[in-house]
């Protein structure tokens, strides 16, 4: 069996069996001759990965939870408004791509049916629509369940 003592981004010597190779910037051994390449290939072919400690893989009962919270998307949940792709045109008529984002605001709105405030991230267009038609009507039309939030 061969042992390799190197990792990605590690500089210095790499030991394969009883031979030592120098390592490049990318963490790969620098091989000069085809005989060295065949020696490394023969040594690496003897490496075995065993999973004797896991006789039968058990299913995960705990759901996966990422360690970082997901970033809120720049999309209004009520109106579906999202960013628009546009060109930024300079004086010399040079066009570069840019995004025009939606005017999203965090708003605390009184929900009459739930008898509590609901904090939502809405576009200003959605805020005007809620003021005109009411929160329940707009949420029902958008298919949003406010009891979850």
């Amino acid at each position: 069996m061969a042992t390799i003592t190197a990792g990605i981004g590690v500089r210095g010597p790499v030991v394969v069996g009883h031979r030592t190779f120098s390592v490049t910037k990318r963490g790969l051994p620098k091989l000069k001759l085809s005989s060295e390449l065949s020696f490394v290939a023969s040594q690496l072919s003897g490496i075995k990965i065993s999973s004797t400690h896991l006789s039968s893989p058990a299913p995960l009962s705990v759901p996966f939870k990422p360690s970082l919270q997901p970033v809120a998307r720049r999309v209004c949940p009520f109106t579906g408004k999202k960013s628009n792709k546009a060109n930024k045109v300079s004086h010399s008529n040079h066009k570069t791509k840019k995004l025009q984002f939606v005017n999203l605001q965090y708003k605390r709105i009184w929900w009459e049916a739930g008898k509590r405030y609901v904090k939502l991230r809405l576009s200003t267009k959605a805020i005007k629509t809620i003021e005109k038609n009411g929160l329940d009507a707009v949420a029902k039309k958008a298919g949003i369940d406010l009891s979850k939030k």
Side-chain angles (χ1 to χ4, degrees):
M1 289 287 177
T3 58
I4 299 174
T5 58
I8 297 173
V10 176
R11 290 187 186 180
V14 175
V15 179
V16 178
H18 64 277
R19 299 184 84 174
T20 304
F21 299 98
S22 61
V23 177
T24 62
K25 291 180 183 177
R26 294 183 181 158
L28 302 172
K30 189 187 300 181
L31 303 173
K32 295 180 182 175
L33 301 172
S34 62
S35 63
E36 290 181 358
L37 181 61
S38 63
F39 173 76
V40 172
S42 66
Q43 290 294 319
L44 292 177
S45 65
I47 295 176
K48 294 180 182 176
I49 299 172
S50 63
S51 60
T52 56
H53 64 281
L54 293 175
S55 59
S56 64
L60 295 174
S61 60
V62 179
F64 174 73
K65 292 184 180 178
S67 60
L68 297 174
Q69 293 294 325
V71 178
R73 293 180 60 209
R74 290 181 173 140
V75 177
C76 177
F78 285 85
T79 59
K81 285 180 170 283
K82 56 185 180 179
S83 59
N84 182 40
K85 292 181 183 175
N87 282 326
K88 183 178 179 182
V89 183
S90 67
H91 179 70
S92 64
N93 205 24
H94 180 75
K95 296 171 182 71
T96 55
K97 300 288 183 184
K98 73 172 199 171
L99 285 176
Q100 296 171 338
F101 294 115
V102 184
N103 188 5
L104 292 176
Q105 305 292 324
Y106 285 100
K107 186 76 174 168
R108 209 175 65 137
I109 300 174
W110 177 254
W111 182 33
E112 191 63 39
K115 303 291 186 209
R116 65 182 176 98
Y117 281 100
V118 182
K119 189 175 182 182
L120 300 168
R121 190 176 189 206
L122 306 168
S123 64
T124 51
K125 175 82 172 185
I127 293 172
K128 290 178 183 179
T129 308
I130 288 170
E131 287 175 358
K132 181 180 179 183
N133 299 333
L135 182 61
D136 286 325
V138 177
K140 185 178 178 183
K141 186 176 180 182
I144 296 174
D145 187 15
L146 293 172
S147 61
K148 294 179 184 177
K149 298 186 178 192

